[in-house]
């Protein structure tokens, strides 16, 4: 009987690093539902993508280490007495690079520069510098805080929105979720890094998009539930916001019939701003396993009521 089940597409990769921490334990790996079915008696699950119904069918389960930052796929499926931890800190720099790659590409007109080269056209492009513009970051966890810091390095004024206001001191102005419209109305560059919880569902919709300033950019790298996709498509057609970059969607892969695919001012990517690859999350999981076995406090413990 395996005490630990690792469930992920690349589950076998994790075994050596986990064996180092738990040399005497039997550790099973599974990449499919069928393989996981043989290990429903495990006490510990380390996973990205374990089907939620399997988690609820594991009588000995005491702890789940989710190999991602967002736990929305699993948080409601686990009994209350099962500890749930998520990865914190491993994705911040990667996702921040993704956000600024698009902010800079759009503000510096990189796509137009490229197409002019293809047409052999010599024409100056007037850049809109980030310096002096306002950046709004909704979600001030580890990833949001890094985006704030890099925004400051670019000379931007930074506003923030979060549920608790615990990080209000790191931004120039802080807003609560019920002030989303006022927040969106004041920022030329709006970045969403929110977890998927009932409280963030549809937080940004038609009212917020209409309020966004001329020429504004919206980027979503958190979860797709935070915005109303139909309202955003309408907003993009009307130029509010003027551009969007979406990495996450309500339904993934984004259905072919979504109008977002065809909008020239909407840049789509396939949930890849901060992937849960072994190199990024393996060490975190191994350290948490060491802590679990030593009865020490776990990193990234999810507040079950809050949902992240
Ligand atoms: C995550 C993600 O939650 O990749 O880590 O979306």
């Amino acid at each position: 009987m395996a005490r630990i089940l690792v469930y992920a597409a690349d589950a076998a990769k994790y075994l050596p690093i986990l064996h180092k921490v738990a040399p005497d334990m039997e550790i099973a790996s599974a990449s499919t539902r069928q393989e996981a079915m043989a290990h429903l008696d495990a006490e510990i699950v380390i996973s990205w993508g374990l089907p939620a119904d399997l988690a609820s069918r594991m009588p000995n389960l005491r702890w789940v280490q989710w190999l991602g930052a967002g736990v929305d796929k699993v948080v409601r499926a686990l009994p209350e007495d099962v500890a749930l931890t998520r990865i914190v800190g491993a994705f911040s720099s990667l996702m921040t690079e993704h956000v600024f790659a698009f902010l800079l590409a759009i503000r510096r007109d990189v796509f137009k520069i490229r197409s002019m080269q293809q047409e052999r056209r010599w024409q100056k492009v007037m850049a809109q510098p980030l310096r002096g513009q306002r950046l709004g970051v909704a979600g001030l966890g580890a990833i949001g805080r890094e985006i704030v810091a890099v925004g400051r390095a670019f000379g931007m004024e930074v506003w923030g929105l979060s549920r608790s206001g615990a990080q209000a001191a790191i931004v120039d102005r802080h807003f609560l979720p019920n002030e989303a419209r006022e927040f969106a109305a004041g920022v030329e560059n709006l970045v969403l890094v929110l977890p998927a919880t009932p409280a963030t569902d549809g937080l940004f919709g038609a009212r917020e998009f209409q309020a966004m300033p001329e020429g504004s950019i919206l980027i979503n790298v958190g979860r797709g539930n935070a915005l109303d996709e139909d309202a955003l498509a309408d907003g993009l057609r009307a130029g509010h916001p003027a551009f969007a970059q979406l990495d996450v969607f309500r339904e993934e892969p984004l259905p072919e019939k979504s109008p977002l695919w065809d909008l020239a001012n909407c840049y789509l990517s396939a949930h890849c701003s901060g992937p849960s690859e072994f190199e990024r999350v393996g060490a975190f999981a191994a350290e948490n396993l060491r802590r679990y076995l030593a009865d020490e406090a776990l990193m990234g413990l999810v507040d079950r009521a809050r949902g992240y």
Side-chain angles (χ1 to χ4, degrees):
M1 166 186 153
R3 229 180 120 189
I4 306 176
L5 168 64
V6 185
Y7 183 98
D10 53 354
K13 266 192 177 175
Y14 289 79
L15 299 187
I17 190 171
L18 297 176
H19 270 305
K20 267 198 194 147
V21 179
D24 304 326
M25 275 188 185
E26 203 174 314
I27 310 178
S29 65
S31 305
T32 63
R33 181 187 178 86
Q34 208 179 350
E35 285 169 9
M37 290 292 283
H39 304 289
L40 294 184
D41 48 6
E43 169 190 336
I44 300 167
V45 165
I46 297 178
S47 172
W48 173 250
L50 182 79
D53 67 299
L54 287 194
S56 62
R57 288 165 55 190
M58 301 182 72
N60 302 326
L61 190 59
R62 303 265 42 91
W63 169 44
V64 173
Q65 169 67 59
W66 200 248
L67 294 172
V71 290
D72 42 294
K73 294 250 174 354
V74 69
V75 68
R76 273 173 287 278
L78 291 183
E80 281 299 319
D81 59 344
V82 174
L84 173 63
T85 52
R86 65 191 189 95
I87 303 286
V88 178
F91 308 111
S92 308
S93 61
L94 211 61
M95 292 174 69
T96 301
E97 283 187 15
H98 178 99
V99 165
F100 280 90
F102 279 94
L103 283 181
L104 287 165
I106 294 168
R107 293 286 177 226
R108 310 281 316 195
D109 243 342
V110 168
F111 304 107
K112 185 166 166 201
I113 290 172
R114 184 69 179 163
S115 70
M116 289 196 313
Q117 178 188 344
Q118 282 158 351
E119 292 163 21
R120 298 182 177 274
R121 266 171 66 202
W122 180 266
Q123 187 184 314
K124 289 195 196 309
V125 163
M126 292 323 218
Q128 292 178 337
L130 293 183
R131 178 168 296 278
Q133 288 200 348
R134 205 175 275 148
L135 172 68
V137 182
L140 296 174
I143 302 159
R145 294 200 297 273
E146 179 122 356
I147 296 170
V148 167
V150 173
R152 288 215 184 283
F154 273 111
M156 304 177 88
E157 181 182 334
V158 187
W159 287 7
L161 178 145
S162 69
R163 187 193 59 92
S164 70
Q167 299 294 331
I170 67 164
V171 289
D172 298 305
R173 196 168 159 197
H174 183 267
F175 296 78
L176 293 170
N178 63 359
E179 300 168 310
R181 186 173 180 278
E182 199 186 342
F183 171 68
V187 295
E188 293 99 348
N189 306 278
L190 173 57
V191 180
L192 312 185
V193 210
L194 292 163
T197 68
T200 59
D201 206 41
L203 199 56
F204 292 85
R207 290 173 68 242
E208 287 69 32
F209 303 141
Q210 274 157 22
M212 289 182 73
E214 290 296 321
S216 52
I217 301 175
L218 180 151
I219 297 186
N220 189 13
V221 288
R223 283 291 184 266
N225 79 307
L227 56 80
D228 176 337
E229 286 172 5
D230 290 335
L232 179 61
D234 289 342
L236 283 163
R237 284 186 202 102
H240 288 267
F243 301 95
Q245 199 287 311
L246 306 175
D247 187 54
V248 286
F249 303 89
R250 283 186 178 263
E251 188 183 336
E252 295 180 6
L254 181 65
E256 258 180 59
K257 64 177 187 331
S258 168
L260 296 169
W261 285 111
D262 296 317
L263 293 170
N265 53 351
C266 187
Y267 299 94
L268 306 183
S269 53
H271 200 143
C272 54
S273 72
S276 282
E277 285 167 350
F278 170 74
E279 289 68 23
R280 262 178 286 284
V281 299
F284 188 103
E287 167 58 13
N288 247 1
L289 177 59
R290 188 200 65 72
R291 289 175 181 224
Y292 179 88
L293 298 175
D295 218 3
E296 291 175 19
L298 296 175
M299 304 182 292
L301 194 61
V302 170
D303 176 333
R304 300 294 294 278
R306 220 174 49 170
Y308 59 94

